[in-house]
Amino acid sequence: MHNIGNDIVDLNLAKTESNWQRKGFLEKQFTQKEQEEIRNADNPFLKVWQFWSMKEAAYKSYTQKVETRFFAPQKFECSFVSLIEGVVLFEDHKYYTNTSLNSFYIHTIAKELKSEDAIYFKIGSSKNIHIDLKTQLAIETGVLSDEIVKIKTTVGAPLFYHKKKILTKSCSISHHGNYGAFVFTLEN
């Protein structure tokens, strides 16, 4: 099974809540190569949070597969194919990322295959993201959103069911500050 992950960063909240320039932060989170890219970037702040978002999205995809959680951001190495497309390597795993970025947030989707089954995603308000996800699932599957149930896996990844029948093959929900996002693929 191929899993997908996503991550969203509220840039205004990141500006006020996180001091990425504090001693040791970059060294703890990023590889030497990434630290160099951050230091040489036109906008180091955005580069930090784009890398962070890419790593988190790939991590969420990976943990769905291995069903174990851990903290090792330095072991996920990011590189860019273009401004919005990237690759994250972790051990012998490769994740393809796509990032949307504006002045409000950074959102990244990570997947194991470049061409994945149909992916459904939405970025919205943090407090409504679960309702938005169930609404989208109802539209795609033809079942009533009230009858859709979320059950978390052992690592906390959400899966959605209708009367004990699984609807989502892989699903990731993220929220930070004012923003929430989801991404899912349907079970065939």
Side-chain angles (χ1 to χ4, degrees):
M1 175 164 83
H2 298 288
N3 298 300
I4 53 175
N6 89 115
D7 188 61
I8 194 157
V9 176
D10 179 328
L11 293 173
N12 287 323
L13 188 60
K15 274 180 192 150
T16 60
E17 269 194 354
S18 179
N19 179 8
W20 63 271
Q21 293 170 306
R22 74 181 178 272
K23 186 171 169 40
F25 179 82
L26 292 180
E27 293 78 11
K28 194 183 283 185
Q29 310 299 332
F30 303 103
T31 66
Q32 283 299 124
K33 182 175 146 274
E34 292 165 343
Q35 291 174 52
E36 255 179 64
E37 276 193 61
I38 290 165
R39 288 189 188 98
N40 295 328
D42 291 340
N43 187 332
F45 170 79
L46 284 180
K47 188 65 74 177
V48 162
W49 296 112
Q50 186 171 5
F51 277 149
W52 179 273
S53 178
M54 290 168 69
K55 287 174 183 271
E56 275 291 307
Y59 169 81
K60 288 176 181 178
S61 178
Y62 179 76
T63 57
Q64 286 180 57
K65 175 183 252 165
V66 297
E67 295 186 350
T68 186
R69 294 176 112 167
F70 55 92
F71 182 77
Q74 263 197 346
K75 292 186 177 178
F76 288 80
E77 184 163 72
C78 303
S79 58
F80 292 99
V81 177
S82 70
L83 279 174
I84 60 167
E85 290 179 87
V87 172
V88 179
L89 297 175
F90 174 71
E91 295 173 347
D92 57 349
H93 301 275
K94 184 184 228 179
Y95 296 90
Y96 298 93
T97 64
N98 198 295
T99 301
S100 21
L101 180 127
N102 60 37
S103 55
F104 302 105
Y105 60 77
I106 292 174
H107 177 248
T108 300
I109 295 172
K111 55 191 179 179
E112 292 177 273
L113 299 175
K114 255 189 171 170
S115 62
E116 183 66 65
D117 304 333
I119 292 177
Y120 304 91
F121 77 95
K122 181 176 180 178
I123 299 164
S125 145
S126 188
K127 61 181 180 279
N128 293 331
I129 206 64
H130 285 88
I131 295 164
D132 293 347
L133 194 156
K134 281 186 168 187
T135 301
Q136 187 69 46
L137 258 175
I139 290 166
E140 301 305 329
T141 62
V143 302
L144 295 173
S145 64
D146 293 358
E147 295 177 356
I148 296 173
V149 177
K150 175 175 84 173
I151 298 174
K152 288 188 174 187
T153 66
T154 54
V155 291
L159 290 174
F160 289 84
Y161 293 81
H162 177 256
K163 298 182 180 175
K164 296 188 181 179
K165 179 183 182 272
I166 191 162
L167 299 175
T168 53
K169 186 185 332 179
S170 179
C171 183
S172 175
I173 301 171
S174 59
H175 24 74
H176 183 238
N178 291 318
Y179 303 99
F182 66 77
V183 58
F184 67 83
T185 58
L186 293 173
E187 188 64 45
N188 295 341

